[in-house]
Structures are given as structure tokens and as C-alpha cells.
Amino acid sequence: MQTDAIDTLTSHWLAVKQIKGLRVSQLLKILEFKSLPELFASDSTSLAGYGFKPEQINTINHINFAEIERLLNWQRQHSSHHIIHYQSEAYPERLKQISSPPLVLFAIGEPELLNQAQVALVGSRSASLYGQDNAFQFAKALTQNGLVVTSGFAAGIDGHAHKGALEANGKTIAVLGTGPDVIYPKRNFQLYQKIIDSGLVVSEFPPGTQARAQHFPRRNRIISGLSLGVLVVEAALKSGSLITAKFALEQNREIFAIPSSIHDPRSKGCHQLIQQGAKLVQTIEDLLEELPEHAKTVNLSLFSQNNEKNNKENFTSNELLVKLDYEVTSIDELVERTQQPVDMVLSQLLDLELQGLIAATSGGYIRLRRE
């Protein structure tokens, strides 16, 4: 009986989701004196009195029950499938604070993560190696300090943020611009499997919904809405990441940005955010000091000590690394800077690459980690 009652309430919220153009504020005001069953039992005159438009009244009178049953069946298929409506216990409190919260969420994985403290990492799909490494390392450090990492599952920065969190055996939430069962981009298939096994994928779009351009700005408001703050790792001036930052500002969330080369167009969005008041982030401490009640100070201390030790070893003991830029540097230039034979330079570059301190590109090598 309890399951039937839950299904009935969920069915009503799925019916509400079919009403196009319904303002959340309007619905919540009605729910102060009418339950959803009472609302759907109302006649057309009463519905008009509540402020519903003719096309909305027509939808209420002709609910697609077959679609509701399809979605309920999807939830019943597997214990990891969840339909989370506005009145569900699992519905995230932070999301209720935004101006246009989704009335229903579809999720696969661990829904309790939605109410845990989290930070969003966002950035360019065509990310530089420098940006990819920053996303990975910051996500890893955030999870080591007890925070969930939230991102949009896109190629580039998003994917590396999810991977960094998983590398540290931490938790990550992927907010999709598709249905929760649709993997986009396809090359993220293995990452998707790892996230649903030990994290959460969530969407306001029903199962089976394919990617559409207009879905992703809507997804971005959820990414920022779920989070305590948004870290923009790398972004151009016109990008979805700046849309997410704009939502974060409207939602009174913290905004952070990582600086980079003034010559890289993928950094100009971050620099603009910093000029407008976003906090410039160089280390994990820069971010966590704005979220002191959510940081595990013991872990932070250990992370700082380990970083300091590693940095001293890595950055002061290798002359080649000191002479390698954060932008692509050619072999010829490195030979000239170090005044060493080519074979010796290549040997050192291989060692540094195996340590994960540099990466090879088509034009040479690039340094990945900061001092």
C-alpha cells in the first residue's frame, strides 16, 4: 500500500510536468490550499480561477497517462532508477532556493548525494591539457576534503572533473542535458558506467530524451543550483560555462575562476569573471577557505603538506621542468634553453611525462602542474 501511495503522488507530479508554461511559484501558491489530487479533480472554471491558461486546462483534462506509466515502469526496472519530485524527501533543498527549480528529476545512482555539500566544476569542451589537468586535480582534492563534485558530463573540463573525483574514490554528480539513460557524448560511455556505479546521474528530462541545444542552458541552472559554489576551470568569452556562472550569481552561489595565459582564448572567460569579482583560485586552499564549514581541515592540512613536499622535489630538482612553460614548448626551444643534447632532453621529458608532470602535444610539450 505504501508503494502504491508513493506511485500515486509521483504520478501526480509527472502529470504536473506535462503542463507547459507552468510557473513554479504559481503551483506552490495553489498547493498551499489545494492538494495535487484536488487540483486535478477541479473543473475547468476552477482551474481558470487558479490562473491556468486555456491550453494548460486542456492538458490537465487530457493527461497522457501512458507516458506516466512508461516513466513509472522505468523507475521499477532497477533499484538504482529514481523519480524525485518536488515533495520527495530526496529532493535537494538547495535546488528549491532557485527561481525556477525543476519539478521532477530523473536519476540513476545514489540520490542521497543531491543533498550533500558539493562544488561544481565547469569549463571548455575543447579544453587545453593545462585545463584538463586542473579540472582533474581540483576535483580530486575537493573529494578528499569531503565535497561532492558536480559537473555537466560534457567532453573536456566536465569529463576530467568527474574522473578526478572518481580517481580519489570520491562522489560525483553528472547533470545531463539528455534523459538519464542517454549517454552524450557517446565516447563517455565508460565514464557514465563508473558514475552510475558510485555516484549519480540526474536530469530534468525524462528517460529516452535525446540531446538538444536548448537543453543545456536549462541543465546549467541545475548544476549551479545544486552547488555551494561554481569553479570555472577554463572558459571562452561566449560559453556555457559563463551561463552557469551567471546562474550561480543569480542564485547567490560562490563563483571561482582559475587564471591562465592571457593569449589563450579559452582563458578569457575566466579572466573576465575575475575582473567582475569572482575569486581567483590558484590552490585548493583558495577555494576551501570560502567554504570553511564544509572542509575537512585534517585532510586539507595533509593535502597541503603533500603538495608542498612534492612540489619542492619536482620543481626544484629538475632543470628541464623549470625551463618548460605552461604553454606548448618545442623540443628545439628546450634544447636551446637547457644547452643539453637532444637525446638527454628527450630522456628527461619521458621521465617527466611518466610522472604526470608534463604532456606531449603536436607542437612539443606542456607543463601540467603549478608550483
Side-chain angles (χ1 to χ4, degrees), residues 268-284:
K268 292 187 181 297
C270 290
H271 295 166
Q272 182 183 79
L273 288 173
I274 293 168
Q275 289 175 329
Q276 294 172 346
K279 176 156 185 178
L280 186 154
V281 171
Q282 299 180 91
T283 67
I284 190 66

Side-chain angles (χ1 to χ4, degrees), residues 222-294:
I222 297 176
I223 293 173
S224 56
L226 286 170
S227 306
L228 299 168
V230 174
L231 173 61
V232 183
V233 179
E234 190 174 70
L237 285 173
K238 293 182 179 180
S239 66
S241 301
L242 295 196
I243 294 174
T244 307
K246 181 176 180 292
F247 281 128
L249 182 64
E250 294 171 353
Q251 296 161 356
N252 198 30
R253 304 299 196 254
E254 298 287 346
I255 305 175
F256 309 93
I258 297 176
S260 186
S261 168
I262 60 172
H263 305 294
D264 190 341
R266 291 170 294 195
S267 302
K268 292 187 181 297
C270 290
H271 295 166
Q272 182 183 79
L273 288 173
I274 293 168
Q275 289 175 329
Q276 294 172 346
K279 176 156 185 178
L280 186 154
V281 171
Q282 299 180 91
T283 67
I284 190 66
E285 292 91 338
D286 293 334
L287 194 153
L288 291 178
E289 68 183 9
E290 301 297 327
L291 312 168
E293 69 275 23
H294 301 287

